[in-house]
Amino acid sequence: MRITSLLSVTSAGLGTALATPRNLRVRDVSVLGTGCPYGSADVKVDPSNTALDIRLSEYVVRSGPNTMAADWRKNCKLTLNLEYDAGFQFSTLSTSVKGFAYIPSGAQGQCQNTVDFTGSSSQANYGITLKGSYDGPFSLSANPDIVTWSPCGGSTAILNVNTQCWISPTEKKAIIDVDRISSKLTVRVDLQWRNC
């Protein structure tokens, strides 16, 4: 897994006057899940420093004959430890998933990105649906059901992003897979900042 540090963040947000911390860096990243075996996850920071790109090279969800329950659903949990200037907090604006899918008529694929902060009781959930019949590359985005912010009063936060995809019904042959051109399934998380 490759970890790319963030050096600065461009402001983005809602409503009030916006501010941007001068310093932001990734202290540590860990990845765990059935959709991201060791060495198959790559984390990059967008050049604007307002988005995280999680690229998964072995994320494949399958259903149909000769598949098992472990094939029908996959997940990948990214734990990202961020350090930044005191006096700021951030939240996620939106998430998107980009990959390849074959979903026959009468079936559907579902991807859900759940974002939370370690120590917080609230989560932001982003649901993305792929309805059959569908065959080809896809890029779908979602806004959160609620907005959750990192805690104030410190200079670090641990952001957890859990991506889950599944197919139903499982009897029909279907697949959610990596993009054929990039050979990755990409999850993008957009960030916004504000003063505490």
Side-chain angles (χ1 to χ4, degrees):
M1 177 181 65
R2 186 171 68 219
I3 301 169
T4 305
S5 292
L6 291 97
L7 301 176
S8 65
V9 173
T10 304
S11 62
L14 303 171
T16 61
L18 304 175
T20 304
R22 290 182 182 228
N23 300 295
L24 173 66
R25 71 181 186 98
V26 177
R27 292 175 58 181
D28 186 42
V29 174
S30 63
V31 178
L32 178 67
T34 57
C36 49
Y38 180 78
S40 67
D42 178 33
V43 180
K44 288 191 178 264
V45 177
D46 183 85
S48 71
N49 293 327
T50 58
L52 304 170
D53 287 318
I54 305 162
R55 295 176 178 149
L56 308 170
S57 62
E58 295 184 31
Y59 200 105
V60 180
V61 184
R62 297 179 192 274
S63 64
N66 302 316
T67 63
M68 301 179 295
D71 301 317
W72 306 334
R73 176 186 292 262
K74 298 288 181 179
N75 84 294
C76 183
K77 182 176 182 181
L78 172 82
T79 300
L80 178 63
N81 188 345
L82 296 175
E83 182 176 49
Y84 46 88
D85 298 335
F88 294 90
Q89 65 180 164
F90 69 95
S91 72
T92 57
L93 280 170
S94 63
T95 67
S96 62
V97 178
K98 182 178 180 181
F100 176 88
Y102 167 72
I103 310 292
S105 180
Q108 75 174 17
Q110 182 78 28
C111 292
Q112 181 174 339
N113 296 321
T114 302
V115 179
D116 65 63
F117 295 96
T118 298
S120 173
S121 60
S122 62
Q123 296 180 329
N125 293 299
Y126 302 80
I128 297 168
T129 302
L130 288 161
K131 293 185 177 179
S133 64
Y134 188 89
D135 186 7
F138 69 88
S139 181
L140 299 172
S141 61
N143 295 322
D145 53 350
I146 60 168
V147 174
T148 181
W149 290 88
S150 64
C152 276
S155 60
T156 62
I158 299 176
L159 177 67
N160 303 299
V161 181
N162 189 21
T163 296
Q164 301 181 71
C165 293
W166 62 94
I167 298 170
S168 64
T170 57
E171 301 81 28
K172 291 180 178 260
K173 184 177 180 180
I175 189 169
I176 299 172
D177 200 353
V178 300
D179 181 73
R180 298 298 195 242
I181 296 173
S182 68
S183 298
K184 310 279 184 186
L185 185 128
T186 303
V187 178
R188 185 176 179 89
V189 180
D190 295 305
L191 304 176
Q192 63 179 339
W193 290 87
R194 71 182 184 188
N195 288 112
C196 286

